[in-house]
């Protein structure tokens, strides 16, 4: 019989790719709140802020593993609504981890590169987190609480991700293509560096984590790229006029959530377990 895996955030970007790329011996039961998840999986609507409802749902589904991707991940929204985002990003994560610990089943939690302050880049799992914004701080607190209640959990810090995410909001590639298709200029930071990763590579890394990983792991792409450098690759791949790309600085963006300069990730620890991220141009294919 196939293993039943509970997937939170099944209707989100990562959930979309995890459903597309699931192993043949796994059946996914998705949790979602607003949007409908892919039609090829079973799913249940569940508000992660409601601990009683969440626990009842877990007892009913009886998963044999959990992949927890659901989050309030917009840094600006977290700055403006810290109490609300805490319920989802920290408290619900702790409930799910405690259930997994009690049942002794695999548990994967998706964290973020924004746990770092961006002062050096090429961060390894041994580097000390020092987030600049509330979203990063809440992810650090969630990591710590999860590992406190379940030391066998896998914490996967994810980078900027790109992919075919039509219908999902606030994704870099979709914003890029939307603007440039309308011949609007696309502002791109030259002083913000990430380790971008395609949705397919991200999903493969998370399924690998469910099978093999415990503790902290970085699942970044193979390249350290500025937003500007990433934009040039996208423009080349999609035949977009590079004159539409406008170089800018982080200081040009006015917002409450501070942005770290270089949160590129060193993912060699995961690579040793057979994580095989593609170069971003290949994933864009």
């Amino acid at each position: 019989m196939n293993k039943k895996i509970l997937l939170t955030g099944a209707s989100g970007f990562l959930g979309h790719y995890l459903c597309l790329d699931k192993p043949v011996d796994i059946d996914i039961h998705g949790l979602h709140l607003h949007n409908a998840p892919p039609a090829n999986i079973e799913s249940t609507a569940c508000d992660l802020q409601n601990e009683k409802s969440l626990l009842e749902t877990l007892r009913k589904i009886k998963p044999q593993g959990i992949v927890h991707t659901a989050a309030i991940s917009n840094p600006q929204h977290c700055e403006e609504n810290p109490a609300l985002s805490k319920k989802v990003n920290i408290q619900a994560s702790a409930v799910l981890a405690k259930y997994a610990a009690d049942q002794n089943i695999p548990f994967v939690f998706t964290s973020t590169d924004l746990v770092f302050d961006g002062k050096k880049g090429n961060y390894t799992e041994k580097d000390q987190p020092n987030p600049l914004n509330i979203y990063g701080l809440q992810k650090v607190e969630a990591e710590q609480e999860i590992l406190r209640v379940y030391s066998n959990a896998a914490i996967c810090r994810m980078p900027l991700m790109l992919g075919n995410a039509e219908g999902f909001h606030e994704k870099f590639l979709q914003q890029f293509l939307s603007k440039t298709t309308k011949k609007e200029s696309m502002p791109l930071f030259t002083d913000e560096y990430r380790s971008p990763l395609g949705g397919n590579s991200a999903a493969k890394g998370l399924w690998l984590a469910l099978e093999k990983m415990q503790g902290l792991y970085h699942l970044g792409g193979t390249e350290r790229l500025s937003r500007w450098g990433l934009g040039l690759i996208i423009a080349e791949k999609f035949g977009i006029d590079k004159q539409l790309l406008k170089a800018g600085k982080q200081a040009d963006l006015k917002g409450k959530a501070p942005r770290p300069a270089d949160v590129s990730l060193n993912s060699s620890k995961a690579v040793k377990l057979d994580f095989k991220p593609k170069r971003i141009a290949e994933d864009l294919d």
Side-chain angles (χ1 to χ4, degrees), residues 115-117 123-130 144:
V115 300
F116 298 112
D117 58 20
Y123 288 99
T124 73
E125 293 83 356
K126 294 181 180 180
D127 287 309
Q128 189 67 28
N130 185 33
Q144 294 171 345

Side-chain angles (χ1 to χ4, degrees), residues 170-188:
E170 298 173 341
K171 295 303 177 187
F172 176 74
L173 181 59
Q174 277 57 51
Q175 289 179 336
F176 188 104
L177 296 178
S178 177
K179 280 183 171 290
T180 54
T181 298
K182 299 172 187 175
K183 304 301 181 184
E184 298 176 4
S185 64
M186 180 67 189
L188 297 165

Side-chain angles (χ1 to χ4, degrees), residues 112-113 115-116 120-130 143 155 157 195 216-220 262-270 272:
T112 175
D113 53 7
V115 300
F116 298 112
K120 77 178 195 71
N122 194 35
Y123 288 99
T124 73
E125 293 83 356
K126 294 181 180 180
D127 287 309
Q128 189 67 28
N130 185 33
E143 290 180 2
I155 307 292
R157 291 173 177 155
S195 299
L216 284 171
Y217 281 86
H218 291 173
L219 298 186
D262 186 348
V263 289
S264 54
L265 298 175
N266 183 322
S267 301
S268 58
K269 182 180 176 183
K272 290 178 181 178

Side-chain angles (χ1 to χ4, degrees), residues 170-245:
E170 298 173 341
K171 295 303 177 187
F172 176 74
L173 181 59
Q174 277 57 51
Q175 289 179 336
F176 188 104
L177 296 178
S178 177
K179 280 183 171 290
T180 54
T181 298
K182 299 172 187 175
K183 304 301 181 184
E184 298 176 4
S185 64
M186 180 67 189
L188 297 165
F189 300 138
T190 59
D191 59 347
E192 179 186 308
Y193 289 86
R194 310 288 287 270
S195 299
L197 186 68
N200 287 312
S201 290
K204 285 181 170 63
L206 290 172
W207 288 125
L208 179 68
L210 185 76
E211 179 186 359
K212 293 186 176 181
M213 296 181 190
Q214 295 178 351
L216 284 171
Y217 281 86
H218 291 173
L219 298 186
T222 63
E223 302 150 281
R224 173 184 177 269
L225 293 169
S226 67
R227 295 263 183 170
W228 171 259
L230 179 57
L232 292 175
I233 292 173
I234 296 171
E236 182 73 25
K237 181 63 64 176
F238 288 90
I240 292 166
D241 183 2
K242 294 177 183 177
Q243 296 299 315
L244 293 172
L245 311 186

Side-chain angles (χ1 to χ4, degrees), residues 71-82:
I72 296 179
S73 59
N74 184 305
Q76 188 72 20
H77 187 75
C78 292
E79 294 290 324
E80 296 169 351
N81 304 275

